[in-house]
Structures are given as C-alpha cells and as structure tokens.
Amino acid sequence: MVSEGHNIHSCLCIINILEGKVNKMKKLLLCFFLLLATGCTVNEKKEKIDWELGVIETSIYKRNTKIVYFDGDFNIKGEDSLKAAGVSKNLGESSYQKENAYFEARGLTRKNDDKKIIELNRNTRNIKFYDVDRINIQGVIANDKYTYTISNLDRKVYITQTDYNNKKVKEITFNDIITLNLFLAGDKIVVPYNLLEDSRKEFINIYDKQLNLIKKIDLSQYGRSITEAVVINDKIYLPVSSKTNEDGSEEISNNLIVELDVKSLDFKIIKIKTKELGHVNKYGDWLIIMNSESPTYEGRKMTFYNTKTGEEKIFNLKHPLRDVEVYGDFIYSANYYKENNERGYILVKYSIKDNMKEVRYKKVNLLNKYKEYHYYSDIFINYNN
C-alpha cells in the first residue's frame, strides 16, 4: 500500500546528505525536482467547513470524481476533486475507522484497473491514495492496523490485507464462492458468500484480524444473499434478503435477519414484519432496515427494530429509499432520479424524534454539472456525530 506522499522522507534525507555542499536555493530546486520525479503530493491545509453529509459524484468513463459536502440544510459547503473513476463506499459502517472514511476506486468501465483505495480524513478533508495490487476492487473495510479489500477476477475472489506501512500482510483466495462483501465486527471479519456450484447455499466465514478462519456457519435453510450488515452492542445484524421456494423459484421478499454474537459466535434468527430487506443502519439500540431491495429501490418503508425489546416501528415515507446514514437524531437518505431532461439524485432529511418527519429535501441535477455521464455512488457522514 503506497500513499502519494510516501517519498517525502526520501527527499528530505537526500537533502540532508547534500547539506553543506549546495546552497539554500539549490536545495529547494532539488527537492522540487525530486518531488516531481516521485509523483508524491502534499495535502495543503484546507479551509475548515461545517458539514454533515458527503456525497460521492463519480464516473466510469473519466477519472473525474467530486466529493460534495452539504450542511444540515443541504447547502453545499465545499467540494474536493479526485482523479479517480468509479469511486464508491460499498460496505457501510465497516468503511469507517475513527475520523477516516475509506472508498474504493474501481476504475474505468470494462477495465476496473485503478487498483486504488482512498482515505478521507473527515476532520481535515485531507485525502490519501493507497495502491492495492488487485483490479476490480469491490469494497474496502478498515480497522486500526489494516485495510481489507475484496476483489474478483476470472471466477476467483481475493481478500487482501494490507497494513498502513506499504506492506501486504496476507491474502486469501477463493475458487468456489460468490461474494462481494466483507464486514468488520469488533476484532472479527465476517464474510458472507454463496457457492458457485449451488448458489442456494449461503454461508458466513468468521476470521480474526490476521484472516485466520475461526468458524463457518451454514445459513442455507434461512435464505440467501447477505449484502448488508451493522454492529449494535457486540452483535452484528445481517439481513437475509432472499429465499428459495420449494419449487426452486427465488423470492426476494424475505424477512429474516441473522443476529450473530461477536464474542461467543452464537447466532439466532430474527423475523420482522416487513419484507424486502435493503440497506441497514443503527440508532442507539435500534436496527434500521430499508424495505427497499436492489436494483429498483422503489420501497418507501423503513423499519426500526429494537434489538433489546423486540419492538418494531414501521414508517411509510414519501420518497423511495436507497442509501441512508444516521447523523445525530436525523436520517439522511439518497436515491437516484431521472425525469424530463434531468438526471441526478435526491437528498432527504428526516427527524427520528419526530417520527420520521421530513425536514429537508433537495434535488441535484448532474446533467447540468458534467459533460460526461456522472452518477452519485454513495453518501457518508461527518466524523463529529
């Protein structure tokens, strides 16, 4: 893993060696040319802004991505530009590590070869690029010592563990599974997957931080397609979004959620009232479920499930749900829209304490902003939550 600024120390060392042999001007010129040669950059100190919600606007046709920062009233407070394509944050809260958020850069269409992950410091807005020697990176999660990326190529799946000092620590390869997801749960890594030979078979593997397998759990009797997860009070919740009927047909309207104890690794199955399990998040002891499954994201229901009491609250909302983030006592949601000569995304802010009352709404038309095709890929929140 290599950041763009990793050679600054080398530059300074060379200058120290030459000290006394060149004058100050020559030193400055030497450093300038060395920086150009190594390609490193230095993050300038950015103006501090007051923001709550970030949106990734990206393209798969050009390495032109913008991170747009909104305040609580959906006023744009700032933008950062990235020379990267297909940038996203696919793995929910597992992509956050303290003040940092981690994004994957998949690259240009049909190539997916950027081989990069991106670290954004949400306090300073400083951005670092790290190299991972894998193409088609589908997601990245992070803890205090390592990043873990998941990628696939030629029917093989790779989970690559890298530390923050430019060293690949470990990589595991799968030849017989289908998955694009992995999640962080305390000191464990949880990987849900299906078998290539029989996609109706659903399992989760549980690893330690060093990617040593601790336990394998067969969940096939409950359904398949686990693509979301959130941790609440030492338990990780994994919605099982589809199931196979007795006649072999597939039904997406499942309503079962796996509750896995991160410490004991015991699990139980929760059955909720609503179906079509999409993105998940949390608010205190409450598990929040979007009842809106991909790829249509037409559902407008949101379920709050109390993980301690079992109480359920179901809200019928005005706008379709795709992505959600919780910031304080508010929920931010985002979804695509296309109408007439406009295409972009819709942002909505809801007050949790006021029974999901809609308090803000904004449309962002990307056709007016970019020459080439752009889309919003994901949203994220500020660190000071």
Side-chain angles (χ1 to χ4, degrees):
M1 184 164 51
V2 182
S3 71
E4 289 190 44
H6 75 285
N7 283 315
I8 296 176
H9 180 71
S10 299
C11 296
L12 296 175
C13 288
I14 293 173
I15 292 174
N16 287 334
I17 292 171
L18 295 175
E19 190 170 4
K21 298 182 180 180
V22 292
N23 60 32
K24 184 177 180 180
M25 181 59 70
K26 289 182 179 180
K27 287 187 200 177
L28 292 173
L29 289 172
L30 178 60
C31 186
F32 174 76
F33 287 114
L34 284 170
L35 288 172
L36 287 179
T38 57
C40 59
T41 61
V42 180
N43 274 309
E44 74 278 7
K45 186 175 181 180
K46 296 180 179 178
E47 179 184 358
K48 187 173 179 58
I49 59 174
D50 183 16
W51 66 279
E52 295 185 7
L53 180 71
V55 179
I56 302 172
E57 298 176 356
T58 192
S59 174
I60 56 175
Y61 299 105
K62 189 175 182 180
R63 289 187 172 90
N64 179 18
T65 294
K66 288 187 183 296
I67 298 177
V68 185
Y69 304 92
F70 294 89
D71 66 12
D73 294 322
F74 293 151
N75 299 305
I76 295 178
K77 306 301 290 186
E79 292 186 355
D80 287 321
S81 297
L82 306 175
K83 290 184 178 180
V87 176
S88 60
K89 183 186 75 70
N90 279 343
L91 299 180
E93 68 167 5
S94 292
S95 297
Y96 294 131
Q97 166 58 25
K98 295 183 179 178
E99 71 273 16
N100 293 325
Y102 291 85
F103 313 135
E104 58 273 7
R106 295 186 184 179
L108 299 174
T109 183
R110 298 182 181 178
K111 293 183 178 180
N112 296 329
D113 59 352
D114 271 10
K115 297 184 178 182
K116 293 184 183 300
I117 58 175
I118 300 164
E119 177 189 274
L120 168 69
N121 185 304
R122 291 177 285 170
N123 285 337
T124 65
R125 291 171 37 231
N126 283 346
I127 295 169
K128 294 181 181 179
F129 285 79
Y130 297 101
D131 295 331
V132 177
D133 192 22
R134 284 290 169 200
I135 68 171
N136 203 27
I137 297 174
Q138 299 294 320
V140 55
I141 64 175
N143 60 26
D144 57 341
K145 291 185 178 180
Y146 308 108
T147 62
Y148 305 82
T149 56
I150 188 162
S151 58
N152 63 340
L153 179 67
D154 296 333
R155 296 168 65 91
K156 292 184 178 182
V157 174
Y158 303 91
I159 297 177
T160 307
Q161 176 193 23
T162 313
D163 67 16
Y164 293 99
N165 295 306
N166 187 30
K167 180 181 178 182
K168 181 191 289 186
V169 178
K170 189 173 182 178
E171 185 172 77
I172 54 178
T173 305
F174 303 92
N175 298 305
D176 57 353
I177 72 169
I178 304 169
T179 186
L180 296 175
N181 300 285
L182 73 166
F183 303 104
L184 192 66
D187 60 353
K188 309 292 193 308
I189 308 294
V190 178
V191 182
Y193 62 94
N194 306 108
L195 298 181
L196 270 174
E197 63 184 17
D198 186 354
S199 62
R200 294 172 298 178
K201 298 292 186 179
E202 180 79 29
F203 299 88
I204 57 174
N205 282 0
I206 304 168
Y207 299 88
D208 62 17
K209 287 184 177 181
Q210 301 300 333
L211 292 182
N212 299 307
L213 180 63
I214 301 172
K215 190 172 184 178
K216 177 179 178 180
I217 300 175
D218 186 348
L219 298 171
S220 304
Q221 63 178 305
Y222 307 110
R224 60 184 295 274
S225 190
I226 295 175
T227 60
E228 293 285 327
V230 67
V231 176
I232 305 174
N233 300 327
D234 294 325
K235 293 181 174 66
I236 184 170
Y237 294 85
L238 304 113
V240 186
S241 60
S242 63
K243 61 183 178 180
T244 303
N245 298 319
E246 292 183 359
D247 62 0
S249 61
E250 186 172 341
E251 184 178 343
I252 64 170
S253 54
N254 203 1
N255 62 342
L256 303 181
I257 299 172
V258 179
E259 180 190 83
L260 174 68
D261 190 299
V262 175
K263 295 181 178 178
S264 69
L265 302 186
D266 295 328
F267 77 94
K268 70 177 184 179
I269 299 297
I270 298 170
K271 186 176 183 178
I272 65 172
K273 297 175 183 177
T274 51
K275 298 183 178 181
E276 295 187 351
L277 309 180
H279 287 282
V280 294
N281 214 300
K282 63 184 176 184
Y283 176 68
D285 295 326
W286 293 89
L287 169 65
I288 304 172
I289 308 111
M290 309 304 101
N291 303 117
S292 176
E293 186 55 78
S294 63
T296 59
Y297 300 109
E298 294 178 351
R300 301 167 190 262
K301 287 184 179 179
M302 184 181 294
T303 298
F304 281 65
Y305 174 84
N306 191 300
T307 56
K308 288 190 173 179
T309 67
E311 179 187 358
E312 287 186 53
K313 296 180 180 181
I314 302 170
F315 297 96
N316 291 287
L317 305 176
K318 180 180 178 180
H319 307 287
L321 300 164
R322 179 181 182 266
D323 292 311
V324 295
E325 288 279 4
V326 178
Y327 188 90
D329 296 318
F330 297 93
I331 284 182
Y332 288 106
S333 76
N335 205 341
Y336 306 113
Y337 88 93
K338 184 179 180 180
E339 57 187 34
N340 301 324
N341 294 321
E342 294 185 4
R343 185 191 68 243
Y345 55 92
I346 293 173
L347 301 177
V348 188
K349 182 179 182 180
Y350 300 95
S351 172
I352 300 174
K353 289 189 173 181
D354 295 320
N355 292 315
M356 293 300 293
K357 177 183 177 182
E358 181 182 320
V359 294
R360 291 288 184 276
Y361 173 91
K362 184 182 183 70
K363 274 186 178 180
V364 179
N365 181 10
L366 295 180
L367 281 179
N368 292 339
K369 189 172 182 179
Y370 301 100
K371 294 181 180 179
E372 66 282 332
Y373 174 75
H374 270 69
Y375 62 97
Y376 104 88
S377 63
D378 286 284
I379 61 176
F380 61 96
I381 52 171
N382 198 351
Y383 177 55
N384 299 314
N385 187 8

